[in-house]
Amino acid sequence: MMDQPLLLAASAIAFLSFAVHTFVGGRYAARPLINSTLPAATIWLNYLCWHAVTVGLLLIAGALALVALEVVHPDAGWLAVMFAAGISGASLLATARGGIPFYRFPASYLLASVCALAAAGLSI
């Protein structure tokens, strides 16, 4: 048995994470990266990672919504939870390593919220 409202809330927060990443982060992270004087390989490999996270955030949101609507097996939700936890953890490590306040990287706390809501929704 699953709790669909919790899963839908987790999906909505994952989609919000996607929107923040794309529209806010794009302005303050991706655009300056592209315009930087770093070596081309560094720029484009980082830009590739940027887009991989963009796609991943959409997949997390979509998987959780599909699980909530009982279109796919709940295991897809657990995969989304694990992926979200990985991105959240990596975000926390990046902020700590870079000396950046954690609230400046919304992925850390938004995806931690996704993990908590989705895990609770999948466990009920």
Side-chain angles (χ1 to χ4, degrees):
M1 187 99 183
M2 296 177 301
D3 187 315
Q4 292 171 325
L6 286 176
L7 290 169
L8 289 172
S11 175
I13 295 171
F15 188 78
L16 173 65
S17 300
F18 160 79
V20 169
H21 170 81
T22 302
F23 300 109
V24 178
R27 174 177 289 161
Y28 295 104
R31 190 175 300 151
L33 173 66
I34 293 298
N35 294 328
S36 75
T37 58
L38 293 167
T42 301
I43 291 170
W44 293 105
L45 286 173
N46 279 284
Y47 200 53
L48 169 64
C49 292
W50 175 269
H51 286 298
V53 171
T54 304
V55 170
L57 292 170
L58 277 177
L59 289 174
I60 292 167
L64 292 173
L66 291 173
V67 169
L69 298 172
E70 298 181 4
V71 175
V72 298
H73 194 276
D75 286 349
W78 286 113
L79 286 172
V81 168
M82 289 186 284
F83 190 57
I87 296 173
S88 179
S91 179
L92 285 170
L93 288 173
T95 58
R97 178 81 172 145
I100 302 165
F102 85 96
Y103 60 84
R104 298 288 301 180
F105 274 36
S108 57
Y109 51 86
L110 287 174
L111 291 177
S113 300
V114 169
C115 292
L117 288 169
L122 290 163
S123 298
I124 292 177

